[in-house]
Amino acid sequence: METKACIDSLTVKNSHVLPPDTNSHGTLFGGKLMAYIDDVAAISATRHCRKPVVTASIDSVDFLEPVFEGDTICLVSYVTWTHNTSMEVFVKAITENLLSGERKVCTTAFVSMVAVDENNRPTPVSPVRPESDEEKWLHAGAPDRHAQRKKRSKESKELAKKFGTAFPWKE
């Protein structure tokens, strides 16, 4: 398969933060930001592999700065690493006060996306080629993050099995 540059999957999304997007504190709902993260990651992953993709995981999302009503939110994403059928997508979200011009990184996240075929089965993806210093740094750390995700996934499956599907009040 042809190796593709990280920049080839670059996705940028800007949104104005309006009242329906905010909570009682006048800041962007965390869930709304997570939906934006998932959206841009899916676009980047699809650009990379040119196949349908599904979200496998989103690493912890730390809300570093509030995003206020009236601000904009800009999300930038691209594929940083691939492994057989999966892709790691780096997402950076920046909030901007449009009146003052002040900009802050409000969160970063790594999203694992898996390419699927017409039967929704995982399918191979092309390797990615980092070029910039930032891309090389993210790419170098990806195998460790991948191993952490696999460990966390195993633990999540064990937890789900232990607690099962029964309603807690019917046990």
Side-chain angles (χ1 to χ4, degrees):
M1 277 191 212
E2 172 192 359
T3 301
K4 298 180 180 179
C6 293
I7 195 72
D8 292 341
S9 63
L10 179 68
T11 300
V12 179
K13 175 187 182 104
N14 286 286
S15 291
H16 199 185
V17 180
L18 301 172
D21 303 325
T22 62
N23 59 31
S24 59
H25 304 288
T27 59
L28 183 66
F29 281 117
K32 184 79 169 180
L33 180 52
M34 290 180 71
Y36 288 157
I37 289 168
D38 194 37
D39 184 38
V40 296
I43 294 169
S44 286
T46 304
R47 278 193 175 138
H48 177 80
C49 68
R50 299 297 177 190
K51 299 174 185 179
V53 299
V54 295
T55 306
S57 71
I58 299 178
D59 290 6
S60 63
V61 177
D62 296 312
F63 302 106
L64 306 173
E65 296 286 341
V67 181
F68 294 101
E69 178 183 328
D71 288 355
T72 61
I73 183 82
C74 175
L75 292 97
V76 179
S77 67
Y78 55 89
V79 174
T80 58
W81 188 74
T82 60
H83 182 266
N84 299 328
T85 63
S86 66
M87 295 158 278
E88 178 188 83
V89 182
F90 174 68
V91 182
K92 174 176 65 174
I94 301 165
T95 181
E96 179 181 0
N97 179 309
L98 289 173
L99 301 180
S100 71
E102 182 180 15
R103 296 167 51 95
K104 296 178 182 177
V105 174
C106 58
T107 196
T108 59
F110 290 98
V111 182
S112 295
M113 307 296 290
V114 175
V116 294
D117 63 17
E118 59 279 351
N119 298 312
N120 286 325
R121 301 296 307 153
T123 187
V125 297
S126 297
V128 68
R129 181 181 67 256
E131 295 174 331
S132 72
D133 288 343
E134 178 182 272
E135 292 166 357
K136 289 174 184 175
W137 187 83
L138 291 168
H139 189 269
D144 288 339
R145 288 188 298 274
H146 178 72
Q148 291 170 4
R149 283 184 205 108
K150 287 188 78 82
K151 181 179 185 278
R152 191 179 66 236
S153 176
K154 181 179 183 246
E155 291 168 354
S156 291
K157 288 175 184 175
E158 289 169 0
L159 188 65
K161 184 178 179 182
K162 176 177 179 56
F163 287 98
T165 58
F167 292 112
W169 59 88
K170 290 189 175 183
E171 287 188 39

